[in-house]
Amino acid sequence: MSESAAEVSARPERSGSWQADPIEDVFEELETDAYGLSTSEAEERFARYGPNEIAEGKTISPLRIFIRQYRSVLIWILVVAAAVMAGVGHTLDAGLIFAIVVFITIFGFLQDYRAEQSIQALRELATRDALALRDGEKTEIETTQLVPGDIVFVDSGDVVPADARLVEETNLAVDESALTGESIPVSKSPDPVPAETSIAERQNLLYKDTIIERGSGVAVVVATGSGTEIGGIATALEAAEQRATPFETEMDRVGKVIAAAVVGAVVVIVLAELVIGDTPPLQVFLTAVGIAVSAVPEGLPAVVTLSLALGARRMAAENALVRRLPVVEALGSVDVICTDKTGTLTEEEMTVQRVATTTARYDVSGSGYELEGEFVLADGSADERTLEELLRCSLLCNDVDVGRRSGDDPEAARRYIGDPTEIALFVAARKWGLEHESLREEYPRVDEEEFTSARKRMTTFHRSPDDGTIAYMKGAPETVLNRCDRELQGDDVVELTDERRDELAQLTEEFASDALRVMGFARQTDVDLDAHDPESFEEGMIFLGLQGMLDPPRPEVPDAIAGCLDAGIEVIMITGDNATTARAVADQIGLTGTDVVVGPELDEMSDDELAELVEQVRIFARTSPEHKSRILQRLQANDHTVAMTGDGVNDAPAVKNADVGVAMGIRGTDVTEQASDMVLLDDNFATIHRSVREGRRIFDNVRKFVNYLLSGNGGEVTMVFTGAMAGLGLVITPIQILWINVVTDGIPALSMGVDPAADDVMDRDPRPPGEGVITKRIVTSVVGIAIFMTVCLLPLFLLNFTGDLIPGRVGGWDLGYEPGRELAQTMVFTGFVVMEIVRIQAIRFRYGLGLFSNRWLVTAVLVALSLQLIVLYTSAGQLLFDVEPLGLVHWAQIGIATALFAVLMAVFAKIQDSYFDRY
């Protein structure tokens, strides 16, 4: 970390708030004035506060990522086993074990290799130069040289170089979406605002790395580098720990349990054979290695990773890009989804939904920027002439342009360029049938008075077809009404009475109560621009009507919300928008029966109060990123598994600390995407719902093949241990165990990763936070199957080891084999392969899956059997694995043992069903 971040502060200490004080007090506290700093003073402050940059965090080198793959105790068990095998001269077996280790670690390295670029992305946002006052003159300096107290100038298109208090502005609007996630530009004003005002509403502050949308301004720097809002976020993001998913934690625990079991079994065998018995040391070493190799599910890391990768690929096809594979499984345990409103639950396309002329009200159908829609009379007397004049005003008093995306063909979907509010008005006029190109040619603009936060209105002047000049105005309803003394009714212009003003004000409140953003419209005819100041024509205007617009919910979201609720997943809306709008959207998408709590109320609550509140409230409005983080922390403290969405830079810490952090791919920032576990490529809540379903399917599949692999390993350990304790030596060789674990078990296990979802996958409640992949039922399955395998396979070894019961010759018949250890080991080896294939369907049956519901699994079983036959009946396979070819009598023995095993498993499953729930 740089000296500036570690040893100095980049923000002057103060007890008040920069937004609440008059600008004169801000100057006094910063010891500056409107003429800025001298060069010497700036240098002194630079030494005090440090450079205006965000300290670069530590990066993870590829070497560290590779070394990290060897943290697993399972890997070290295999490494030690391979070393022992090499030490006693079994170099082929040792080489194969080492090859398995290398494969597992390289595969893990390739999956984990991604740079931690969150801090770097923040740095890339910065502009290189800034225009500041130094020694009373405008001077272009590097942004890193800015210090608190500097006077800076910003203009349209500039990136704000530091946090600053506005001194003066001209029609200034700032795109703060990178910080707040809200896409609508924020109009700025130098006037003080209350200290408790949220970040999104501090209209007199400029924030580092936001973008000037229009206008210009002068501001005094109040914080630089890590002291800025975005710098504080970078610090929090760097400090945020990468949370291990429940599955990662559990796999680590399983590895330690297996390691302890291996050590215990080896100690028992060594004591029994070397101290009590008379087994040669070499045989004891080989048995110990057999125990170690049989206990380690070598195929499990690869099978788990590949299955998660296949699930991630399927999710990518559904517009969900997974950045951390274990999160695929974690999605299945999510029981709370905290989501933004704008763009995730809604279209992020403002849409005019209601229009009121002076004589009628209309509901407007259609959603977003599509031109399909109708004007349906809702109240009053239809008057198309007044309606058309109102829409003409909204189309002409409008700066929207129509273009297309780079690379699109001319017939591709249109792209509107301009302010979202103006686009909504533009689209509404087009829905009615007005053509913007011909209308703008017919009424060319000759002058304008721009919209500003102080004026709250915009007026444009146009040459009319009769060579006169006409003025059109739009703005806040009360502002427009205050400048009107008449109203248009059809072809008649009548007086705007006080009674009518009250009616229109009431109508405006009615629109606003439904969360509509309301705009008023007016015109003035016969304007003489040469005779008067243009602003004089903004008095005595003719009122035309109102338009109310809203960012509508995505059509698929209500069903997705209902699906989440049916699945036991709570959905919480956390928005920076006002409570009325939040409530209106919530009602439309099905989040009903809950109160709305706003940010200032959260500020007054203790953590205990908030922990209780988050269990009851599902809508939070006027929130800041700090509120989002607090809500997340209280939910996690209440043992919830939380998915958190975010788009702005300030959402990054909450996204990174969530159990599943979800970034927006369209409107999200690079920083948030780097901090996330998953990116929604379409910014759509319904994609989260589909991802949770996919996560549950994957979790079921992971649980199935973990059960399958561990129970198989349990059988191998029990068999080897029992044989050793019975004085039989190795009943199956380490290389044969490796073949079973990696190939004949691994291939079918991998195919189970693409098993279809159970019919009730989204009808269940989320699994409890403490319930992992390995449940009590799976533990009993592992133990039971291990015992049953030993009971069924040990007799096969005994029958073929001595030849006492089934000799190589019966009467005059030569059965074509010689009893002995190699044949006995071959019988156990092949018996394991056949029995473990039988176990697959037994495990899947509990999930309601038929034998042929997964064609890949059928293929995998056939491949595994074919490979086993190749090992048995080719000279290379016999040499490599120390096996003998089996005759019909041997296959008959294996068939009988497998049938007995199937019966024992069926009875055991019935017993389990009487004690355990289905899952």
Side-chain angles (χ1 to χ4, degrees):
M1 183 173 291
S2 68
E3 180 185 3
S4 61
E7 299 181 3
V8 297
S9 170
R11 179 196 296 267
E13 295 183 4
R14 70 193 313 268
S15 58
S17 54
W18 298 116
Q19 67 269 20
D21 294 340
I23 192 63
E24 293 78 12
D25 293 351
V26 174
F27 280 149
E28 182 177 351
E29 186 146 3
L30 290 170
E31 297 180 357
T32 188
D33 56 29
Y35 299 99
L37 302 174
S38 65
T39 299
S40 59
E41 175 64 18
E43 290 174 351
E44 188 276 327
R45 295 190 184 196
F46 184 86
R48 190 193 318 168
Y49 298 118
N52 177 32
E53 61 184 5
I54 297 168
E56 186 173 357
K58 295 180 180 179
T59 58
I60 300 176
S61 69
L63 178 61
R64 287 183 61 193
I65 296 175
F66 184 77
I67 294 174
R68 195 168 58 189
Q69 306 306 311
Y70 287 89
R71 291 185 304 183
S72 171
V73 292
L74 299 181
I75 294 294
W76 284 105
I77 291 174
L78 292 178
V79 170
V80 172
V84 171
M85 293 296 283
V88 298
H90 288 247
T91 54
L92 181 59
D93 290 8
L96 286 174
I97 296 175
F98 270 124
I100 294 296
V101 170
V102 171
F103 170 78
I104 292 172
T105 53
I106 289 179
F107 194 90
F109 169 79
L110 293 176
Q111 292 296 333
D112 290 346
Y113 180 56
R114 64 181 182 89
E116 290 286 340
Q117 295 179 329
S118 299
I119 305 302
Q120 287 79 356
L122 280 167
R123 291 168 62 87
E124 290 171 2
L125 286 173
T127 184
R128 295 183 60 185
D129 296 313
L131 189 62
L133 275 180
R134 289 285 175 87
D135 298 318
E137 295 182 353
K138 288 185 178 181
T139 306
E140 200 170 74
I141 61 175
E142 291 187 5
T143 57
T144 57
Q145 300 299 310
L146 287 176
V147 294
D150 264 326
I151 301 297
V152 294
F153 300 83
V154 292
D155 207 342
S156 179
D158 288 349
V159 176
V160 178
D163 284 6
R165 169 66 189 273
L166 200 59
V167 177
E168 59 183 64
E169 59 84 27
T170 302
N171 194 25
L172 184 64
V174 182
D175 177 0
E176 296 182 345
S177 59
L179 182 65
T180 66
E182 293 298 324
S183 59
I184 297 177
V186 179
S187 295
K188 294 294 183 176
S189 167
D191 299 331
V193 297
E196 65 273 12
T197 304
S198 65
I199 289 178
E201 296 179 312
R202 294 174 187 171
Q203 62 183 16
N204 58 8
L205 288 183
L206 303 179
Y207 295 107
K208 179 177 171 61
D209 295 336
T210 58
I211 300 172
I212 304 300
E213 183 79 8
R214 68 166 183 262
S216 60
V218 180
V220 56
V221 173
V222 297
T224 58
S226 59
T228 62
E229 289 292 337
I230 207 166
I233 292 165
T235 302
L237 188 59
E238 185 179 351
E241 296 182 359
Q242 185 68 65
R243 296 170 58 90
T245 68
F247 185 65
E248 289 175 310
T249 302
E250 187 168 11
M251 287 297 98
D252 183 63
R253 180 175 60 84
V254 169
K256 293 176 181 177
V257 170
I258 291 175
V262 168
V263 172
V266 169
V267 168
V268 170
I269 290 174
V270 169
L271 290 175
E273 298 293 347
L274 293 182
V275 179
I276 301 174
D278 56 358
T279 305
L282 177 59
Q283 186 62 42
V284 174
F285 275 125
L286 292 177
T287 302
V289 171
I291 287 283
V293 173
S294 62
V296 176
E298 291 87 358
L300 184 58
V303 169
V304 168
T305 303
L306 284 172
S307 297
L308 295 179
L310 289 173
R313 184 175 179 180
R314 289 177 55 145
M315 292 170 64
E318 296 287 341
N319 289 317
L321 180 64
V322 174
R323 300 186 68 252
R324 291 183 60 226
L325 286 184
V327 170
V328 175
E329 174 273 332
L331 275 167
S333 62
V334 165
D335 62 346
V336 176
I337 299 174
C338 295
T339 176
D340 291 332
K341 174 185 69 68
T342 304
T344 307
L345 299 175
T346 66
E347 296 275 13
E348 201 184 10
E349 293 181 348
M350 295 291 287
T351 305
V352 173
Q353 296 191 329
R354 208 174 298 171
V355 174
T357 67
T358 54
T359 60
R361 274 187 281 178
Y362 300 86
D363 291 329
V364 184
S365 62
S367 180
Y369 296 164
E370 296 300 321
L371 299 183
E372 290 76 18
E374 297 180 348
F375 287 72
V376 179
L377 182 66
D379 188 29
S381 303
D383 183 358
E384 293 188 357
R385 289 170 298 181
T386 305
L387 175 60
E388 184 163 320
E389 183 64 11
L390 167 61
L391 297 174
R392 181 183 292 112
C393 175
S394 67
L395 189 61
L396 292 174
C397 188
N398 195 311
D399 290 329
V400 169
D401 282 328
V402 180
R404 61 182 181 88
R405 295 175 181 85
S406 177
D408 286 352
D409 61 67
E411 302 301 322
R414 66 188 63 82
R415 179 176 184 266
Y416 296 109
I417 304 169
D419 179 86
T421 299
E422 290 199 324
I423 294 174
L425 299 172
F426 185 95
V427 170
R430 292 291 309 279
K431 282 182 183 178
W432 176 252
L434 296 179
E435 291 293 336
H436 66 288
E437 292 180 349
S438 59
L439 196 62
R440 288 176 175 178
E441 288 179 4
E442 186 178 2
Y443 292 86
R445 185 183 299 187
V446 295
D447 205 348
E448 66 180 85
E449 288 294 316
E450 291 185 341
F451 177 91
T452 68
S453 56
R455 285 167 42 80
K456 296 184 179 180
R457 66 188 185 277
M458 172 184 180
T459 304
T460 57
F461 302 90
H462 303 263
R463 186 69 60 193
S464 63
D466 59 4
D467 288 332
T469 301
I470 186 170
Y472 285 114
M473 174 190 290
K474 75 170 186 288
E478 62 276 12
T479 301
V480 174
L481 276 171
N482 287 340
R483 281 153 181 78
C484 295
D485 57 12
R486 293 162 293 166
E487 60 179 329
L488 180 67
Q489 295 184 359
D491 290 331
D492 299 326
V493 176
V494 300
E495 181 184 358
L496 184 61
T497 64
D498 290 342
E499 183 180 355
R500 280 289 295 155
R501 289 181 186 275
D502 292 341
E503 291 175 2
L504 292 169
Q506 185 175 351
L507 182 60
T508 300
E509 292 180 6
E510 181 183 325
F511 277 27
S513 66
D514 291 333
L516 296 177
R517 184 177 184 184
V518 190
M519 299 287 286
F521 300 85
R523 79 172 189 195
Q524 178 65 284
T525 57
D526 300 326
V527 177
D528 185 359
L529 293 179
D530 295 331
H532 301 282
D533 177 4
E535 285 201 27
S536 67
F537 297 103
E538 292 183 321
E539 302 293 340
M541 300 195 74
I542 303 168
F543 186 73
L544 301 176
L546 303 169
Q547 294 190 52
M549 64 204 75
L550 178 72
D551 182 9
R554 293 177 180 265
E556 62 273 20
V557 164
D559 288 341
I561 295 285
C564 287
L565 298 178
D566 290 342
I569 302 170
E570 294 291 345
V571 179
I572 298 178
M573 178 198 297
I574 307 177
T575 178
D577 216 331
N578 62 69
T580 302
T581 301
R583 164 67 76 188
V585 172
D587 288 344
Q588 293 181 62
I589 62 176
L591 286 181
T592 57
T594 176
D595 293 332
V596 180
V597 175
V598 295
E601 295 178 79
L602 296 177
D603 293 332
E604 302 298 323
M605 294 183 185
S606 66
D607 286 345
D608 290 340
E609 291 172 331
L610 182 56
E612 182 178 348
L613 182 75
V614 294
E615 299 296 334
Q616 305 167 2
V617 174
R618 293 295 172 261
I619 307 172
F620 293 90
R622 286 300 185 209
T623 56
S624 68
E626 290 76 17
H627 297 140
K628 181 176 284 190
S629 292
R630 283 193 68 201
I631 292 169
L632 169 66
Q633 291 165 4
R634 291 308 96 204
L635 287 168
Q636 290 176 329
N638 291 352
D639 290 330
H640 289 291
T641 303
V642 185
M644 174 72 75
T645 71
D647 47 22
V649 171
N650 58 356
D651 290 330
V655 167
K656 188 164 187 176
N657 284 314
D659 298 286
V660 179
V662 184
M664 302 296 108
I666 296 175
R667 71 179 192 280
T669 60
D670 289 343
V671 177
T672 309
E673 289 181 11
Q674 290 293 335
S676 69
D677 303 306
M678 184 175 79
V679 179
L680 299 186
L681 301 179
D682 59 357
D683 290 11
N684 194 338
F685 178 85
T687 301
I688 302 178
H689 173 253
R690 292 192 296 269
S691 298
V692 169
R693 186 182 190 279
E694 182 67 13
R696 290 191 176 190
R697 183 193 70 84
I698 292 170
F699 178 81
D700 281 353
N701 292 342
V702 168
R703 178 173 278 176
K704 278 183 283 187
F705 63 64
V706 166
N707 184 357
Y708 173 67
L709 292 176
L710 291 185
S711 59
N713 284 93
E716 293 161 4
V717 170
T718 306
M719 188 72 184
V720 173
F721 184 78
T722 303
M725 298 305 295
L728 299 175
L730 278 177
V731 296
I732 183 171
T733 67
I735 194 172
Q736 290 169 350
I737 293 172
L738 280 174
W739 175 262
I740 293 171
N741 291 353
V742 177
V743 180
T744 58
D745 274 6
I747 295 174
L750 179 58
S751 66
M752 276 196 284
V754 294
D755 258 354
D759 291 338
D760 65 344
V761 70
M762 288 301 282
D763 294 332
R764 318 172 203 154
D765 287 338
R767 68 182 188 270
E771 179 182 307
V773 174
I774 302 175
T775 61
K776 291 181 180 179
R777 176 164 187 154
I778 289 181
V779 172
T780 59
S781 292
V782 170
V783 174
I785 290 172
I787 294 173
F788 299 150
M789 280 187 161
T790 303
V791 168
C792 295
L793 290 176
L794 195 58
L796 291 182
F797 182 88
L798 294 172
L799 287 172
N800 294 275
F801 181 37
T802 63
D804 293 338
L805 296 179
I806 304 180
R809 298 179 64 87
V810 178
W813 294 92
D814 185 354
L815 300 182
Y817 70 92
E818 289 294 331
R821 178 174 298 279
E822 191 168 292
L823 175 61
Q825 289 174 338
T826 303
M827 291 293 288
V828 172
F829 177 34
T830 306
F832 263 120
V833 172
V834 175
M835 287 183 184
E836 295 195 355
I837 289 174
V838 170
R839 283 191 302 111
I840 291 175
Q841 187 54 32
I843 292 172
R844 297 173 75 245
F845 181 77
R846 292 203 303 269
Y847 294 85
L849 299 176
L851 181 62
F852 298 102
S853 59
N854 182 350
R855 61 188 177 90
W856 294 107
L857 179 58
V858 175
T859 302
V861 169
L862 294 176
V863 169
L865 285 174
S866 299
L867 291 173
Q868 184 66 17
L869 294 176
I870 291 172
V871 168
L872 294 176
Y873 297 107
T874 64
S875 57
Q878 294 166 14
L879 178 64
L880 183 62
F881 291 93
D882 295 324
V883 295
E884 293 186 3
L886 301 180
L888 291 177
V889 66
H890 305 113
W891 285 107
Q893 294 174 49
I894 292 172
I896 293 171
T898 302
L900 175 61
F901 176 68
V903 171
L904 291 173
M905 282 187 61
V907 173
F908 186 61
K910 291 290 185 182
I911 296 173
Q912 283 185 307
D913 288 339
S914 64
Y915 285 96
F916 298 105
D917 293 332
R918 179 177 175 185
Y919 300 104

